[in-house]
Amino acid sequence: MSMQGLAVANETGVERKTLVEVEGLRRVFDLSKPWLNRMIEREGRVFLTAVDGVDFSIRQGETYALVGESGSGKSTIAKMAVGLLPPSAGSIAIDGADVWGKKSPEAERRMRRKIQMIFQDPFASLNPRWRVGSIIAEPIKAFGLIDDPLDRAARVGELLSLVGLDPRDGQKFPHEFSGGQRQRIAIARALASEPNFIVCDEPTSALDVSVQAQVLNLLRDLQERLGLTYLFISHNLAVVRHVATRVGVLYLGRLVEEAPARELFAAPQHPYTKMLLEAVPDIEMEGKDRQSIAGEIPNPITPPAGCHFHPRCPVRRPECDVETPPPHRVGDATVRCHLFGSAS
Amino acid sequence: MTPALSVRNLRIEIPTRRGVLTAIDDLSFDIAPGEVLGMVGESGAGKSITGSAVIGLLEPPGRVAGGEIHLAGERIDHLPPERMRHIRGKRIGMIFQDPLTSLNPLYRIGDQLVETIMTHQRMTTAEARDKAQRLLEEVGIPAAKTRLSSYPHQFSGGMRQRVVIALALAADPELVIADEPTTALDVSVQAQIIALLKRLCAERGAAVMLITHDMGVIAETADRVCVLYAGRLAELGPVRDVVKHPQHPYTIGLMSAIPSLTGDPDEALAQIPGSMPRLGAIPAGCAFNPRCGYRFDPCTVERPPPYDAGAGEAACFLHAPAFARQAPAETLRQADAAGIQLSIPNGEAAR
Ligand SMILES: Nc1ncnc2c1ncn2[C@@H]1O[C@H](COP(=O)(O)OP(=O)(O)OP(=O)(O)O)[C@@H](O)[C@H]1O
Ligand SMILES: Nc1ncnc2c1ncn2[C@@H]1O[C@H](COP(=O)(O)OP(=O)(O)OP(=O)(O)O)[C@@H](O)[C@H]1O
Ligand SMILES: [Mg+2]
Ligand SMILES: [Mg+2]
């Protein structure tokens, strides 16, 4: 079952169609030693459930943000969504087409073209030996979008202008640009195949705040102009508040809370969401008494039984140690916490 | 009171094949005992290199080319490496971004602590072990006694950074230099570590130079903050003033670019056009002038020194009456609207 109900009208009252549908998504990594070692050391197999039954959907033109601590499974979901990593179970459909379903090579190409990804590190994700123009032209060639070299060069210039760079910058190499400019180049490359869905995995984490503002504003501006849909991953809640339409909070591979961004920040429901919001250093410094967060993230190989969060939870109940909380509707939010009703 | 650390007119040069780069240019600041001074600025602004100069670990070919560094009144920038090695660890504690670089993966946590304690203090091994255990307890490691025999990889990232803090404080230093101490840590753990560092240094009366580009961390931890831009001081003042009433146009831009948990999320973030110049290409006059909305004639010609500004100081001609009088009235009006506390009376400006 999807954690959200049917498509809900957005603020302006216009119904937007669902573009991305994630259902029962699961990914298990096998961390076992080779068979012989296991026999000698008398050890069993070891599995790590990085993503444990995640459902959500994203409507066209909106930004869905995934937040959570390191190791909660954000990047694993991102990789499955763009087709880089197969899920162990569950499905991801983009515009009705299953990302991991069997399809004709033609349909496969069509789908790949429509999904792009922007990574955290603008330094590592650009080939240092290629001129920026060739980096951006590569997807245009690969998908056979523009055959004429002159037209293609013109399109590259257009893309560079679109992300706020000079068309002549195409002649330069990546190392001649600053971090923020490189992230702009990565965005231009992602836009080259005319995608409608872009997965941004910590796109500004490596950047300074002043540069981050430029990149976030650019992403938002492009969304408005091109109608893009984003899956936006970040551990910075202030950034997420600024970009997201909906937010999903991950804890050890499970979505513990999901809500429209406004609701989530105004009235967080899950104790973990509250804790995360508490932990944000605040430049307003309004002398709020920070509730110090107890404990650290548990070992994901042997996650706590019941609600994964129970060892750190300030309001834990007896059932939390044994029973996995089912989803509960609380206003516009979906919360997996026993506080909102005991499991039947 | 003698400052714990006093940096006067520091100049750091890096000779390269294409000429000598000036990484830090005429930087002065003090840190009082028990005070936390935040060092902020964009990547490449010169935060780490300043910290390295203070502890005498500038990476060659970088060198201190001018100015003085005093630790509790004693000049330390020209000491022989042997003397400096003794001061590091004993009188200056260091905490870096990645706890793994400060911990030896092959030695037990307890042995590393004991060794550090015994290098700097006359103690028996048993006494040092006791102290090591107390330190681990102080930084909040549960079951400290058993944990003394753990190896670094058996600790989580947050626990390792606690151990590094324990190591930095082992010899009761007068000054602690923390370079991005929480950047590699998780959001939920960052707050714990920062609170811990602040409490322990306050208890011991140690001065802290806290280097980070996270203004949220600075706002919650620092007493005063020093804003660097292209290797130069832009603004220095009490943290509340710098955060709420910044006086340098660069700081104003920086503050409004930070997304916050309050305010209208639908509004676009304020952004400073352009980017910080590379060291080899710092413009004449004020380093910030090509990006500055308040630029007027002298800014492109002469470099502004720090002037008194609000509750602190800012290197901006708007704060120098003799210069500000030359600014167009419209520039002054906008500066005033942005909260810059001009030192010339309204209407006294030339046109
Ligand atoms: N290829 C892999 N093999 C084994 N384990 C993996 C692999 N990729 C991820 N994991 C594990 O899966 C869990 C989720 O990892 P993931 O990278 O999705 O986290 P994340 O939320 O993106 O964290 P971060 O904020 O640190 O990027 C972690 O425990 C990680 O160690
Ligand atoms: N060996 C070197 N050769 C040339 N330039 C150098 C060298 N070492 C440092 N620099 C330059 O000195 C300047 C200051 O660097 P520093 O590491 O202090 O920056 P920072 O403010 O700590 O930045 P970050 O936030 O990225 O850590 C940078 O422009 C850097 O490129
Ligand atoms: Mg990740
Ligand atoms: Mg640094």
Side-chain angles (χ1 to χ4, degrees), chain A residues 69-70 176 208 210 212-214 217 220 238 241-242 262 281-286 290 293 295-297 312, chain B residues 42-43 156 159 186 188 192 216 219-220 243-244 259-263 265-272 274 278:
Chain A
E69 287 160 286
S70 185
E176 296 176 64
D208 288 304
S210 56
Q212 166 173 284
Q214 295 177 345
N217 286 342
R220 201 145 93 166
R241 178 168 178 272
H242 210 82
R262 278 179 185 279
D282 186 8
I283 67 156
E284 294 301 324
M285 307 176 292
E286 291 309 357
R290 187 193 285 293
I293 299 151
E296 297 186 30
I297 311 156
R312 300 169 80 185
Chain B
E42 279 170 56
S43 181
S156 72
M159 283 164 82
D186 237 297
S188 66
Q192 296 174 348
E220 294 213 334
V243 170
K244 298 246 172 168
S260 82
L261 287 180
T262 52
D266 291 335
E267 222 170 83
L269 291 165
Q271 59 183 61
I272 312 173
R278 266 173 257 161

Side-chain angles (χ1 to χ4, degrees), chain B residues 117-265:
Chain B
I117 293 167
M118 291 184 53
T119 323
H120 298 296
Q121 282 166 329
R122 263 179 240 285
M123 269 191 193
T124 65
T125 315
E127 283 167 347
R129 257 198 119 62
D130 272 354
K131 176 155 183 176
Q133 187 187 328
R134 268 203 318 281
L135 277 167
L136 279 194
E137 279 162 5
E138 256 191 293
V139 297
I141 304 272
K145 196 172 176 131
T146 25
R147 285 310 210 161
L148 282 174
S149 47
S150 298
Y151 289 94
H153 74 265
Q154 293 171 310
F155 280 15
S156 72
M159 283 164 82
R160 274 184 222 135
Q161 198 59 303
R162 284 163 199 269
V163 173
V164 172
I165 291 178
L167 268 175
L169 297 178
D172 299 314
E174 297 144 63
L175 173 69
V176 173
I177 296 187
D179 192 350
E180 309 271 4
T182 58
T183 308
L185 298 177
D186 237 297
V187 267
S188 66
V189 187
Q190 278 181 14
Q192 296 174 348
I193 298 290
I194 288 291
L196 174 74
L197 179 65
K198 186 170 174 149
R199 178 173 62 78
L200 293 180
C201 291
E203 282 169 12
R204 290 169 162 75
V208 182
M209 177 168 156
L210 177 64
I211 299 171
T212 171
H213 55 254
D214 188 335
M215 273 311 301
V217 168
I218 293 282
E220 294 213 334
T221 318
D223 300 303
R224 286 188 309 139
V225 51
C226 175
V227 183
L228 293 183
Y229 185 80
R232 304 170 181 189
L233 180 104
E235 182 163 358
L236 176 65
V239 69
R240 269 201 106 78
D241 297 275
V242 175
V243 170
K244 298 246 172 168
H245 313 288
Q247 292 300 310
H248 192 286
Y250 171 64
T251 324
I252 294 175
L254 194 64
M255 291 304 153
S256 42
I258 302 171
S260 82
L261 287 180
T262 52
D264 182 5

Side-chain angles (χ1 to χ4, degrees), chain A residues 174-236:
Chain A
H175 72 87
E176 296 176 64
F177 294 89
S178 70
Q181 290 172 327
R182 281 185 236 198
Q183 199 57 297
R184 285 169 187 265
I185 295 168
I187 294 171
R189 180 185 54 186
L191 293 174
S193 68
E194 295 163 32
N196 50 11
F197 177 48
I198 300 185
V199 175
C200 312
D201 192 355
E202 307 264 10
T204 60
S205 302
L207 305 176
D208 288 304
V209 277
S210 56
V211 184
Q212 166 173 284
Q214 295 177 345
V215 172
L216 292 178
N217 286 342
L218 172 66
L219 285 172
R220 201 145 93 166
D221 178 48
L222 292 170
Q223 178 167 56
E224 271 165 30
R225 283 157 71 184
L226 309 173
L228 300 173
T229 306
Y230 295 135
L231 174 61
F232 189 96
I233 289 171
S234 177
H235 60 259
N236 184 328

Side-chain angles (χ1 to χ4, degrees), chain A:
Chain A
M1 184 198 72
S2 169
M3 279 183 81
Q4 290 171 259
L6 296 165
V8 192
N10 71 0
E11 284 156 88
T12 51
V14 186
E15 285 234 352
R16 296 188 174 186
K17 74 167 183 157
T18 298
L19 184 74
V20 181
E21 188 78 56
V22 172
E23 269 180 4
L25 194 62
R26 218 175 127 77
R27 174 69 211 203
V28 181
F29 291 108
D30 187 347
L31 303 181
S32 313
K33 291 181 183 160
W35 175 81
L36 191 63
N37 294 53
R38 288 208 309 274
M39 295 313 283
I40 296 167
E41 294 163 32
R42 294 176 177 279
E43 277 177 13
R45 304 189 64 155
V46 179
F47 295 100
L48 186 153
T49 306
V51 177
D52 189 7
V54 163
D55 308 297
F56 62 90
S57 58
I58 316 176
R59 289 193 301 263
Q60 179 104 48
E62 294 194 345
T63 301
Y64 189 96
L66 281 175
V67 302
E69 287 160 286
S70 185
S72 53
K74 306 182 294 293
S75 297
T76 306
I77 293 177
K79 286 180 203 148
M80 292 189 281
V82 294
L84 288 174
L85 183 79
S88 308
S91 67
I92 302 153
I94 315 251
D95 219 358
D98 187 341
V99 173
W100 287 96
K102 261 211 148 55
K103 50 182 101 54
S104 68
E106 187 44 43
E108 179 77 34
R109 267 165 70 87
R110 220 173 23 241
M111 199 197 62
R112 295 250 174 257
R113 207 188 116 185
K114 289 294 176 192
I115 313 174
Q116 285 296 331
M117 182 152 179
I118 298 166
F119 297 91
Q120 168 170 359
D121 192 352
F123 301 86
S125 63
L126 302 175
N127 188 331
R129 282 188 291 273
W130 284 22
R131 284 182 203 279
V132 164
S134 315
I135 291 176
I136 298 172
E138 201 271 336
I140 305 179
K141 270 198 236 172
F143 289 108
L145 300 179
I146 303 172
D147 292 325
D148 181 67
L150 281 177
D151 291 349
R152 199 159 56 218
R155 173 70 181 146
V156 167
E158 226 175 84
L159 286 163
L160 281 167
S161 313
L162 191 62
V163 297
L165 294 172
D166 193 304
R168 284 167 300 182
D169 286 339
Q171 291 307 310
K172 298 185 185 164
F173 289 95
H175 72 87
E176 296 176 64
F177 294 89
S178 70
Q181 290 172 327
R182 281 185 236 198
Q183 199 57 297
R184 285 169 187 265
I185 295 168
I187 294 171
R189 180 185 54 186
L191 293 174
S193 68
E194 295 163 32
N196 50 11
F197 177 48
I198 300 185
V199 175
C200 312
D201 192 355
E202 307 264 10
T204 60
S205 302
L207 305 176
D208 288 304
V209 277
S210 56
V211 184
Q212 166 173 284
Q214 295 177 345
V215 172
L216 292 178
N217 286 342
L218 172 66
L219 285 172
R220 201 145 93 166
D221 178 48
L222 292 170
Q223 178 167 56
E224 271 165 30
R225 283 157 71 184
L226 309 173
L228 300 173
T229 306
Y230 295 135
L231 174 61
F232 189 96
I233 289 171
S234 177
H235 60 259
N236 184 328
L237 288 163
V239 165
V240 164
R241 178 168 178 272
H242 210 82
V243 299
T245 325
R246 282 187 83 83
V247 182
V249 181
L250 275 174
Y251 190 76
L252 285 182
R254 294 179 184 164
L255 271 183
V256 295
E257 178 162 359
E258 215 228 12
R262 278 179 185 279
E263 265 76 4
L264 190 106
F265 286 97
Q269 300 296 333
H270 197 284
Y272 176 64
T273 313
K274 291 184 179 171
M275 187 187 99
L276 270 186
L277 279 169
E278 274 295 314
V280 180
D282 186 8
I283 67 156
E284 294 301 324
M285 307 176 292
E286 291 309 357
K288 61 170 183 182
D289 247 344
R290 187 193 285 293
Q291 187 186 326
S292 199
I293 299 151
E296 297 186 30
I297 311 156
N299 181 351
I301 297 169
T302 51
C307 171
H308 287 344
F309 184 59
H310 80 253
R312 300 169 80 185
C313 185
V315 289
R316 137 189 189 194
R317 301 175 172 196
E319 65 262 39
C320 305
D321 302 11
V322 279
E323 274 175 75
T324 303
H328 296 286
R329 289 292 291 192
V330 184
D332 282 331
T334 306
V335 189
R336 288 179 190 264
C337 173
H338 287 305
L339 278 184
F340 300 95
S342 50
S344 46

